[in-house]
Amino acid sequence: MSLEAFSSRSVCAAPAKLLPKPSRAVACGLLLVLNCCCISSVCFASMSIARTPGASKLARQITFEEAWKSSAHSRFCCLIYATQNGWKLPILFEELHYPYDWCLVDFGKNEQKSTEFLRINPNGRIPALIDRESNVAVAESGAILEYVCDTLKSNLLPSKEANLEKHLQCKQWLYWQVSALGPMMGQSMYFNRIAATKGEKDSFSIARFSKEAERCLQMLDDQLAESKGPFLFGDEVSVVDVACFAYAASAYWACIDIGSMLNLQAWLQHLHERPSFKTGLTIPFARPAFFGPPWATEADVAAEIGANAAQFTIPQK
Ligand SMILES: N[C@@H](CCC(=O)N[C@@H](CS)C(=O)NCC(=O)O)C(=O)O
């Protein structure tokens, strides 16, 4: 299914500017292609809602032109938009207490389909990361999280040598997030929030994707029951908490009832309050409507529903 087909914007409308030529782009796009279903349903900018980056001591906004330029602030530059996949990077760097630059890949201008961005990620989707010190770029959120943890030798994803069992556990769940939780939540959001809002209520698709998304959320709830929390693997936060959080937190937007998933609810509450996750969710800007009450007001939700759906056309058969 082509996501571009859902966008009311023509691919050609993408501005032909922006990123300086990457000297090398590490293409990881195909392996995790399933996650492309993370739907742009939740991804496009609303022109009518205030979009202001949150306050972070570690984050610095830069322009596309500066993305490859070395900087004393950080070796890394995140190319992101305010979506479940985009937020993974700020949350990661906030959790690592590691300074990072970021620049907005503006979906409102279709910049994710610009020639310059496609050179970094031929899949035309955020996030992507530039590591100026090693002169490489990498796309696909799972590959990015792995790369940063590995490069900074972070315990969020222990190396094979340090802890083989935990290493494999993290990898297994990370790949599950990008191939199952993300796409199922994305499709559920698309059919519930975009297609239905536009008068195309497709009960068959809604039932299929809502059920699958619910099953994935139940897996997280079960895992938390087994680990006894407060994190997915017990006492220590991991890269999997980082990867899963924004998607699971969007159960409201995906219209999945998690009322009976008490472990999941406790974990979400805990991470919503954890400073690194809380701050990460505001870079490049916050979209509280995805998380529903008590994190969003009715006005937030009403504004996001209209604005988000307005960015899409329904594909014609
Ligand atoms: N498998 C990719 C999925 C990336 C993805 O789908 N990104 C969405 C935002 S959440 C996107 O860039 N959508 C823009 C578009 O489809 O044009 C990953 O994990 O990074």
Side-chain angles (χ1 to χ4, degrees):
M1 177 157 44
S2 154
L3 293 180
E4 297 86 271
F6 296 152
S7 169
S8 58
R9 291 173 188 279
S10 146
V11 172
C12 309
K17 50 164 184 166
L18 313 184
L19 291 166
K21 244 186 205 167
S23 51
R24 210 169 350 149
V26 180
C28 298
L30 297 176
L31 181 62
L32 301 178
V33 76
L34 273 175
N35 202 27
C36 303
C37 305
C38 147
I39 236 17
S40 314
S41 69
V42 289
C43 295
F44 284 92
S46 150
M47 300 308 151
S48 59
I49 304 176
R51 305 302 201 184
T52 318
S56 160
K57 295 200 171 91
L58 300 169
R60 186 181 69 130
Q61 184 174 10
I62 60 167
T63 63
F64 277 162
E65 285 73 18
E66 295 167 308
W68 283 91
K69 283 192 192 141
S70 54
S71 130
H73 182 249
S74 178
R75 66 189 279 182
F76 297 115
C77 175
C78 309
L79 309 183
I80 49 177
Y81 191 70
T83 69
Q84 288 77 4
N85 283 313
W87 284 313
K88 291 173 185 173
L89 276 59
I91 291 174
L92 177 71
F93 284 114
E94 296 288 337
E95 188 58 46
L96 293 168
H97 304 291
Y98 197 92
Y100 57 105
D101 287 335
W102 63 272
C103 63
L104 188 72
V105 179
D106 192 343
F107 285 10
K109 298 180 186 155
N110 217 22
E111 287 177 348
Q112 75 279 18
K113 301 292 187 283
S114 68
T115 313
E116 291 75 7
F117 186 78
L118 289 174
R119 267 192 215 124
I120 288 180
N121 184 8
N123 198 27
R125 292 184 167 86
I126 62 94
L129 179 87
I130 291 172
D131 176 357
R132 292 118 162 192
E133 201 170 302
S134 300
N135 203 26
V136 289
V138 58
E140 286 294 332
S141 61
I144 294 169
L145 297 184
E146 276 191 46
Y147 177 69
V148 173
C149 289
D150 186 46
T151 304
L152 299 182
K153 302 197 184 339
S154 164
N155 271 341
L156 289 177
L157 173 49
S159 68
K160 273 194 282 204
E161 294 69 29
N163 186 339
L164 181 59
E165 204 176 324
K166 182 85 180 280
H167 174 84
L168 290 175
Q169 186 183 37
C170 284
K171 286 274 185 83
Q172 176 179 331
W173 281 88
L174 192 54
Y175 280 57
W176 169 83
Q177 189 285 306
V178 296
S179 65
L181 177 69
M184 293 305 109
M185 291 292 291
Q187 295 295 352
S188 198
M189 291 185 244
Y190 177 79
F191 284 104
N192 276 294
R193 296 291 186 182
I194 304 299
T197 302
K198 286 177 166 291
E200 296 279 345
K201 190 162 181 181
D202 181 343
S203 309
F204 190 80
S205 303
I206 288 177
R208 158 76 182 160
F209 292 116
S210 301
K211 268 267 162 283
E212 272 299 293
E214 186 182 359
R215 188 184 64 77
C216 290
L217 292 173
Q218 187 63 56
M219 281 178 69
L220 289 177
D221 190 62
D222 294 345
Q223 171 60 28
L224 285 159
E226 196 179 313
S227 77
K228 301 195 172 27
F231 301 107
L232 283 165
F233 301 143
D235 288 335
E236 285 173 21
V237 65
S238 79
V239 70
V240 181
D241 296 284
V242 172
C244 292
F245 173 63
Y247 270 112
S250 303
Y252 170 82
W253 198 249
C255 301
I256 313 294
D257 181 3
I258 57 165
S260 64
M261 302 182 200
L262 301 184
N263 305 300
L264 183 69
Q265 285 181 41
W267 174 77
L268 289 173
Q269 176 78 33
H270 182 222
L271 294 185
H272 266 300
E273 287 165 9
R274 190 174 170 87
S276 49
F277 282 66
K278 197 171 167 179
T279 305
L281 275 189
T282 68
I283 307 291
F285 53 82
R287 297 177 90 175
F290 294 166
F291 314 128
W295 294 285
T297 62
E298 276 180 34
D300 289 331
V301 174
E304 190 72 72
I305 288 174
N308 196 7
Q311 298 289 321
F312 291 82
T313 53
I314 300 293
Q316 300 306 309
K317 289 179 188 137

